[in-house]
Amino acid sequence: MAESAAEALAKSGGGEDLGAGALVPGVAPIKPRYLTTKEKFHEFLETREQEKPSQDTGEGNHYVHDLAEPETKRIRLEDGQPGQLGEGPTEEAAEHLEQPQAQKRARGQNKGRPHIKPTHYDKNRLCPSLVQLDITGKLYLAPLTTCGNLPFRRICKRFGADVTCGEMAVCTNLLQGQTSEWALLKRHQCEDIFGVQLEGAFPDTMTKCAELLNRTIEVDFVDINVGCPIDLVYKKGGGCALMNRSAKFQQIVCGMNQVLDVPLTVKIRTGVQDRVNLAHRLLPKLRDWGAALVTLHGRSREQRYTKLADWQYIKQCVTAASPMPLFGNGDILSYEDANCAMQTGVAGIMIARGALLKPWLFTEIKEQRHWDISSSERLDILRDFTNYGLEHWGSDTQGVEKTRRFLLEWLSFLCRYVPVGLLERLPQRINERPPYYLGRDYLETLMASQKAADWIHISEMLLGPVPPNFVFVPKHKANAYK
């Protein structure tokens, strides 16, 4: 194996022992030999980039094309999907390409969205009184705004997510027929247990929207967002604000429950204000109003992500919710975290940021192990995401750039992951900030960069050069690295 990035820098006199930084509270404990400074980190990346031969010579991407074929790629090739961008199709893929043009899926953003629910749903539909949502013990991928798109959910499904949910959709936008909002409800065939999440502040519009969805799309459950903390939603009375509006909350839950043929679920927080918990009082009411399941995020709106999730409080709420199943959510980034969460008595766990940092977390939990995933395997996952994105959003210029922007949003989270082999102590905690470190190869170091320019460089490895004057600013303030 080629010498690591850390060893290369050490030979040049830049790898001094920074072991003291490994024990700083709130900082991921990385082995001293990998640690470096911000200046030397970026100097290393810039030097390596300048040393790379021109890509026109066919040698520029040697760190991409000379990589061993990881398991994730083998799985994809067995399914008959194309390999790396620029490679010829496999025999199975070639057969698919030879099928009549009429059988090919229409390109573009959800141009073929059905306006009527598929007839096979009605044929197999059970009486509402018999419908149950038995997902006890399953791993639930949270509905993630911006990053929880269909291509990302496909990645998580491959790594073991059991339940998926579309991004939060605003009910008024759906009722107005906004194409971009309806696109959030699209389901991929691999999503065998799939729901959609609605946000709204008024019983009449939420009920009308639920009735419309009941007629037009096929889902396994509908979730009400009562956990969104952002001001834009909260000030209009939606999201977390419903926790303080019991009468409206009741009308929304009861009204939607009456018009849906599938179970109604709710996602809430501990409360609105820090140290003023409301969930334990709301859970018995939600059970009586007809909610089939509730997910509790162990933080208040005011708290956001500044403190750890309160799993002791979630444990208290399990009793308050019984016999209605309660899922817990917050700070799960390892199988140990998941095991501790299940010990609180919750029916299951929802994974949000942990899936963004490492979507293979679902595999780690199910196999009860730490996966020291290589940089080549991680790049292959990103390549699969871009292929899924081009299939979903289209392969024209607009589709490529939409895929790129969603990839960049995800990369702004992925850079926080610290490879298992570099850690002094396992597991990595979700609230631990990664210090500057040099990985075991150039690609692993590049993936640790907190600069948008380096995320763009990774996107160019998969999707080609960015357009002139391209600018990227993450939507989430938490990702706004300098």
Side-chain angles (χ1 to χ4, degrees), residues 382-402:
L382 297 178
R383 183 178 294 108
D384 285 339
F385 175 85
T386 59
N387 289 335
Y388 295 159
L390 296 175
E391 178 185 332
H392 180 56
W393 291 301
S395 55
D396 57 1
T397 302
Q398 183 178 0
V400 169
E401 292 315 309
K402 182 164 282 192

Side-chain angles (χ1 to χ4, degrees), residues 273-287:
Q273 297 176 318
D274 199 12
R275 300 179 182 176
V276 183
N277 292 330
L278 300 175
H280 65 285
R281 297 206 298 265
L282 283 172
L283 286 167
K285 296 179 181 179
L286 285 167
R287 180 187 61 213

Side-chain angles (χ1 to χ4, degrees), residues 119-190:
T119 55
H120 67 81
Y121 180 84
D122 289 321
K123 291 178 182 177
N124 300 325
R125 186 171 62 186
L126 297 174
C127 171
S129 63
L130 298 178
V131 174
Q132 295 181 359
L133 183 62
D134 185 13
I135 59 174
T136 301
K138 295 189 182 296
L139 299 178
Y140 184 169
L141 172 64
L144 300 164
T145 302
T146 304
C147 291
N149 47 67
L150 184 146
F152 177 75
R153 299 198 306 269
R154 288 182 66 179
I155 294 291
C156 292
K157 282 297 295 182
R158 268 187 30 212
F159 283 111
D162 298 308
V163 183
T164 54
C165 187
E167 301 173 64
M168 180 186 78
V170 180
C171 73
T172 51
N173 294 344
L174 292 172
L175 290 171
Q176 291 169 5
Q178 292 187 17
T179 305
S180 58
E181 210 73 18
W182 279 94
L184 302 178
L185 311 182
K186 188 173 174 90
R187 172 186 199 164
H188 189 264
Q189 59 187 12
C190 72

Side-chain angles (χ1 to χ4, degrees), residues 323-338:
M324 178 182 66
L326 181 72
F327 267 50
N329 170 230
D331 300 339
I332 296 173
L333 190 60
S334 66
Y335 75 87
E336 291 99 330
D337 294 335

Side-chain angles (χ1 to χ4, degrees), residues 286-299:
L286 285 167
R287 180 187 61 213
D288 296 340
W289 297 341
L293 177 146
V294 173
T295 300
L296 175 58
H297 181 182
R299 294 183 178 86

Side-chain angles (χ1 to χ4, degrees), residues 1-5 7 34 67-68 374-376 439-442 444:
M1 180 183 291
E3 66 179 3
S4 70
E7 291 169 346
Y34 295 108
L67 300 172
S374 67
S375 60
S376 62
R440 292 164 290 189
D441 54 53
Y442 167 73
E444 191 167 74

